Amino acid sequence: MDEDSESKKISTLAGTMQRLYAGSEYLVEAVYQYSSTYGHQYRPIAVYAVAPQTPEKQLLFLQSIISPKVAESLIKAYPNIVNDVITGVVDTIDYSRVKGVREVMWRKIKDKIINNYLISDIITLLSPIGVTYTMIKKLLDEMPNPTLLKQEIENNPYVLTRINGLGFKRVDDMALKLKPDLVESVERLTAYIKYFYTEMGEGQGHTWCSRKILLSAVQDNVPQCAPLLDDLLEHNNFLHIDGDRIGLQYYYKTEMEIYDLLKRKSKIQTNIHLSREQISRAVNEAEREQGFEYAKEQLKVINDCLNRTISLITGKAGCGKTSIMRAIIKAYEQNEYEIAASALSAMAAQRITEATDFPAATIHRTLGCMGFNKFAFNKDNHLLVDVAFMDEGSMVNAHIFLKWLEAIDDSTRIIISGDHKQLPPIGFGNVFSDLIEMLDDDVVSTLTKPMRQAAESGILVDANLIRENINPIKESPAPRIIHGKNQDMYYMFRGNRQTLFDIAVKTFLSTAESEGLDSVAIVVPRKQGCLNSTAELNNAIQDKLIPGNVQHIESGGRVFKLGAKVIQTVNDYQNNVFNGDVGYITEIGKRNKGKNSWYCVVRFKDMLTGESKDISYTQREAMALDLAYALTVHKIQGGSRKTIIGIIDNTHYQLLDNCMLYTLLTRAKERCLLLGEYQAFQQCIRTSHNSRNTWMNLETMKN
């Protein structure tokens, strides 16, 4: 349209779109709408930034983001700078040629060019399936050149399956709209198979499945591509195939690298030397502090671990895995060897500190986590300590396990402790359990004899029977059953789930009042979707502890009141707060009049220093929090409470097995009350889900 035409109309563009810059030209697809408040408007469907072709138009854009003089200086030196950044021709400039521009300023200019002319176009293209700016930035971490990324998305939209949160179905729908000819293509089949194995690995932990299962999944989800499967299996570089077993090459390499690293390191002699006298002194001091003497089996494991490079320690609950670590760590510490003690979760790390009086941290903190999958200590920059100790090894999936091993120097001794009959890790692999079966007795130590205290505990005796799929209840089910010389294991079986819920809440509140809020937790299999879930229990307890319409913040469908006990549910690398950290809300306020202007402050206790630290959360950021009165079994694994109240009913049917119940019971230090439907209890006893199809396990069976 002629710019001087009298037919030119001016109207309001109102709705969600990228930031628009003065001086830039945009192609807008919009629909008309009338607002009773604002009058005639257009709601944008798509807004495309048109790359400026002349130096004059490029200057107009630059003047909207930097001062006019600096913009003129930049255009004078680089007349086509905006287009050169868009096309990837220019990544940096000679600062001596441009007055007023240095590295920090140039990065800001480049980012705004990319955001306006490239990322905004990608978002406009992908907004119908919910792709956000943050998602695109994640892809740019892998492929920093936005031009190439845009080209790849246009050529093969299935690259979007790399984004967490975008399932294959959403990407597939969009891809087929953009390029219908992909319906029967290797690109589509490849994307689905990668998605299938990733979902299987992260959801079920398996790292391979049979050819028959893969074919069935392909026929059910991308049937048009089924005829292409045989050829793809013959010609690909992302799958590992062993006879009838197929899985991702990445999973296979990860598992085999773990095994090979430990085998190789076990043959290396370190420079650590401890005399009999030094070991004896540490043992005697640990016995004195704990108030009991170690049994012969425990003394042997202590001596073995202090005289070899690689040690794996396992055993059932009550056999002294935790107590012997006090002597082992003390022996190294007394002789001035540097130790890095860690566990996957904050709770498990805290438990190391409580048991050994030695400061421990999460694995992510130990490795100096700098963001998703980025660690300061890695295979190229080793963690230079004399001893690396990992507790609760069964919780650690193959990916994190390998990252930890790669960061450890060959001169470092390694000790890994855990119980391979607890819940397997979240994520792919079952490394600790597989290593117990794969490695020789000169590396693996198994504690078999319960300590005297354990033999008197109904909790540990019953838990260890459940561990072996044996029902500890020989008497007829009764409303109240008490087991153990210490009378510490309570059972209450009811047929009404609301009754189970009410008893749990009432017992929690009375225990918290008499012994303190941090001494008790309700533990259940499910997070949401049923009555006896953490979501329902947490809301009920919060309302009891903090009644009335008090100051609160809403985020992610949850309500957090001032004074509430909360848990961090994701790793926050910027604020150094990690999944499993527990704190209390000390402040709630509003910064401005905006819709999402509420904030809260959570006070956490730093595990290493013991000092408190306050972390501020916006309303959106508070989605990383959850109430912490009731926890899932997975969330509390590695941690403990003085009193545990467990609930199992038949709405938890998919999660009912002996590993889950064994893990639940052994979180209790002094008392455990198990509330449940008896049928659900029996289901736990006869079911085991700990076994996984892994490449490590396959190697064990072959040997």
Side-chain angles (χ1 to χ4, degrees), residues 70-88:
V70 173
E72 289 172 6
S73 177
L74 184 57
I75 283 293
K76 184 176 180 181
Y78 295 92
N80 201 38
I81 188 63
V82 175
N83 273 308
D84 286 346
V85 170
I86 294 170
T87 56

Side-chain angles (χ1 to χ4, degrees), residues 514-585:
S514 61
E515 298 179 2
L517 197 56
D518 293 333
S519 70
V520 58
I522 298 177
V523 182
V524 295
R526 287 180 62 175
K527 184 176 180 180
Q528 58 190 4
C530 64
L531 176 64
N532 289 310
S533 63
T534 60
E536 298 294 331
L537 289 158
N538 274 320
N539 288 336
I541 292 170
Q542 179 179 235
D543 288 343
K544 293 285 186 181
L545 290 173
I546 314 171
N549 188 24
V550 300
Q551 198 169 26
H552 64 274
I553 182 172
E554 297 183 22
S555 180
R558 295 184 294 274
V559 175
F560 302 102
K561 296 183 178 182
L562 184 63
K565 183 178 182 179
V566 295
I567 186 169
Q568 179 80 13
T569 61
V570 296
N571 293 328
D572 182 345
Y573 310 107
Q574 184 175 352
N575 289 312
N576 200 32
V577 183
F578 293 91
N579 187 358
D581 283 346
V582 175
Y584 288 85
I585 296 178

Side-chain angles (χ1 to χ4, degrees), residues 31-47:
V31 294
Y32 169 80
Q33 63 182 18
Y34 179 79
S35 167
S36 58
T37 304
Y38 301 104
H40 301 285
Q41 295 181 336
Y42 284 91
R43 177 174 57 82
I45 297 173
V47 179

